[in-house]
Amino acid sequence: VGLLGLLAIAMFAYPCLRVGTITEIDYNEGWNAYQQIRAMTGASLYSAETPYFINNYPPLSFYIVGLLGKLVGDVVLAGRLLSLLAVSVISLSVAVAVRAGGGRRPDSILAGLTILALLSGLATDYVGSNDPQLLAQGFVLAGFATYVTAGDRSGRMALVALLFACGLLCKHNVLCLPLVVSAHVLWRGSARGRAVYLGTGIALLALALAVIQWRFGAPFYQNLTASRLYDAARGVLLSIEVLDSLQAPVMASCLFLALRRETPIGGMVGAYLVGSLAIALAFSPGAGVDTNVFFDTMIACAMTGGLAVAWLRRQTGGNGAALAALAILFNAGPIIHSPIALGRMAVDLAGGELAERETLFQADIDWLRQVPGPALCESHLLCLRAGKPLGVDGYAVVQATATGRLPADTLTGMLARHEIAVAQISTRREHYPDEAQGAQAAPLRFVNFRDDVFDELDRSYKVARLGVTGRFYLPK
């Protein structure tokens, strides 16, 4: 446990040390920052002045981060700090759940360190990033820890419902664990605990819907349910990529949960693991979906690891070698990935790579700031730092045009008419003109601009700059 703890803390140190960088950690950081700033100015989050910037997230995180941003002076930094805090809460909550499930202190510490290593080592671009995913998970895990330690005492049940509501109002894809707990409350809870939990949950739902309807109206529901592209091949590749690092803990978790005698907490964790895997696999083909869809699976595996070690101690009388082997098995992914994770930290921090990227990123900001007129930025943080107003979200336009919500020539028409003064693009085409028709190729991870956009850029624009954030186009 001590050695695994050193590894987990070393990998968690990287997102902590880079928290103040001006460069973009994840593609979503600038997108979220625009929404957080809008929230603080009183603007609507779902009916922007441009139809090309669509928000399909619940609203709460934008106000939480926006308020903290006022205190620290920057919403991006505020979001990153809250993300780090959320990871700490998740780790602590996992440890508390294992302790409540019968684990000893080393077992609970192991479980907390396991999820810290899984997130820090395998989801580095989310930990310490201005993104609501981990903030939402933190609320939900705190609610679960409260439930398993307090039983169904009425006062605590109201708090559980409140924490679940906050999580779902930050990100709606953290539904699995609240569903598991709700089913357990209905099945095993006392009449009073059930009444308090359901009553509080229904009251919070009614209040949230009333505030959303008053503040945002129909655009909220239109954005939240907006259609997107699905690609089965992309889903298979994403699932293989993530589960390749989780295969040992997932298989060990399934075997343990299938063979051991069920306890209330073990049963909930088992349902959480199965449900989270089913949800992740079902949603992985969706455009815009990333490794975050598997975070619940990672958390369930970490909890199962702590419970499995506690069970093995009881079965073997505390055989140290067996316990160590099981602990290593549940941490196999982070251990195998650690040379990459720690090497990245060494290159970025000790090797000066991060400082160099900051200098180059600032140079791109300075150049873009000097170009008058509206900008199209694939790096929204770049546009934000350059003082460019809310403009075009390439991902949103691709989804809207591909699903018929906007005309197919929406973005290409803007480019042809030179309505965009400068465009910053970092990605490449899906298909090149000399590519054989029908040739098999792995789908791109993210498609923010279709090939017709690149064709129009070639016709109507010229590359004026090559920077660390990509290619900058000006009208011909």
Side-chain angles (χ1 to χ4, degrees):
V1 172
L3 291 173
L4 291 172
L6 290 175
L7 178 63
I9 292 170
M11 289 193 288
F12 184 56
Y14 175 57
C16 292
L17 293 172
R18 71 171 183 199
V19 69
T21 181
I22 66 168
T23 62
E24 191 173 61
I25 294 173
D26 182 73
Y27 169 77
N28 273 346
E29 284 203 297
W31 184 92
N32 282 290
Y34 273 117
Q35 306 294 353
Q36 292 148 5
I37 292 171
R38 289 178 61 79
M40 291 300 97
T41 60
S44 174
L45 299 175
Y46 303 96
S47 55
E49 54 271 6
T50 168
Y52 314 125
F53 204 102
I54 299 170
N55 176 13
N56 61 351
Y57 285 6
L60 184 58
S61 71
F62 304 123
Y63 291 94
I64 294 175
V65 177
L67 288 171
L68 181 60
K70 283 191 169 183
L71 296 177
V72 301
D74 181 64
V75 292
V76 176
L77 177 59
R80 291 172 178 177
L81 292 173
L82 284 173
S83 176
L84 294 174
L85 176 62
V87 172
S88 302
V89 170
I90 292 168
S91 180
L92 178 61
S93 298
V94 167
V96 168
V98 170
R99 186 72 162 160
R104 293 174 56 184
R105 184 175 296 174
D107 311 326
S108 63
I109 293 174
L110 171 66
L113 292 172
T114 298
I115 188 56
L116 185 65
L118 285 168
L119 290 174
S120 301
L122 305 180
T124 314
D125 292 342
Y126 274 90
V127 178
S129 174
N130 182 30
D131 184 274
Q133 182 66 54
L134 289 171
L135 179 61
Q137 304 270 188
F139 277 120
V140 168
L141 265 294
F144 182 68
T146 302
Y147 178 66
V148 297
T149 55
D152 59 359
R153 284 185 288 176
S154 57
R156 292 288 188 93
M157 293 302 290
L159 177 59
V160 172
L162 176 62
L163 289 168
F164 283 170
C166 289
L168 289 167
L169 285 170
C170 286
K171 195 75 186 289
H172 48 299
N173 65 354
V174 294
L175 188 61
C176 186
L177 195 52
L179 285 177
V180 169
V181 171
S182 298
H184 190 266
V185 170
L186 291 172
W187 182 32
R188 296 284 184 88
S190 66
R192 181 175 177 82
R194 190 182 303 125
V196 172
Y197 176 77
L198 294 178
T200 304
I202 292 171
L204 289 170
L205 173 63
L207 176 62
L209 291 176
V211 172
I212 287 171
Q213 182 62 37
W214 164 72
R215 186 69 186 86
F216 307 118
F220 168 79
Y221 303 101
Q222 294 167 359
N223 287 8
L224 197 68
T225 59
S227 54
R228 67 171 72 184
L229 295 173
Y230 283 82
D231 185 339
R234 182 191 182 282
V236 169
L237 291 175
L238 174 61
S239 300
I240 290 174
E241 176 188 336
V242 178
L243 294 178
D244 180 59
S245 299
L246 295 179
Q247 54 185 313
V250 167
M251 289 189 293
S253 295
C254 291
L255 181 63
F256 166 70
L257 293 168
L259 296 179
R260 68 183 296 276
R261 187 191 306 175
E262 184 177 327
T263 64
I265 293 178
M268 283 190 285
V269 172
Y272 181 32
L273 175 62
V274 173
S276 66
L277 264 175
I279 291 173
L281 293 173
F283 284 95
S284 61
V289 175
D290 200 2
T291 55
N292 62 308
V293 78
F294 286 94
F295 284 0
D296 278 320
T297 301
M298 294 182 186
I299 295 168
C301 284
M303 288 186 190
T304 307
L307 296 174
V309 169
W311 173 83
L312 185 61
R313 176 183 286 106
R314 293 191 293 269
Q315 301 303 309
T316 64
N319 184 292
L323 297 177
L326 190 57
I328 290 172
L329 182 65
F330 275 92
N331 283 270
I335 290 172
I336 294 171
H337 189 72
S338 60
I340 298 175
L342 298 177
R344 178 178 179 179
M345 178 172 66
V347 170
D348 271 7
L349 301 178
E353 180 77 12
L354 182 60
E356 183 178 359
R357 285 205 309 272
E358 286 184 314
T359 300
L360 296 173
F361 191 81
Q362 185 61 55
D364 284 354
I365 293 173
D366 295 338
W367 186 89
L368 182 60
R369 189 179 286 129
Q370 303 304 314
V371 181
L376 184 158
C377 284
E378 193 162 8
S379 169
H380 296 301
L381 186 59
L382 177 69
C383 256
L384 178 69
R385 297 301 193 204
K388 297 296 182 180
L390 196 69
V392 177
D393 177 10
Y395 162 81
V397 172
V398 165
Q399 302 308 308
T401 54
T403 56
R405 290 183 282 114
L406 285 175
D409 62 348
T410 295
L411 187 50
T412 54
M414 296 172 66
L415 292 170
R417 295 186 295 272
H418 287 174
E419 294 176 7
I420 294 172
V422 55
Q424 172 266 327
I425 310 288
S426 57
T427 54
R428 299 284 180 177
R429 293 172 170 269
E430 288 185 276
H431 308 286
Y432 286 89
D434 58 352
E435 184 177 301
Q437 187 174 2
Q440 291 187 344
L444 296 179
R445 185 64 170 273
F446 297 104
V447 177
N448 293 323
F449 302 102
R450 305 300 290 267
D451 289 345
D452 59 346
V453 172
F454 288 99
D455 292 338
E456 190 58 50
L457 283 170
D458 290 340
R459 282 192 295 267
S460 304
Y461 286 72
K462 60 183 178 182
V463 175
R465 175 181 172 83
L466 295 175
V468 71
T469 58
R471 306 172 303 283
F472 292 81
Y473 294 85
L474 294 177
K476 288 183 178 177

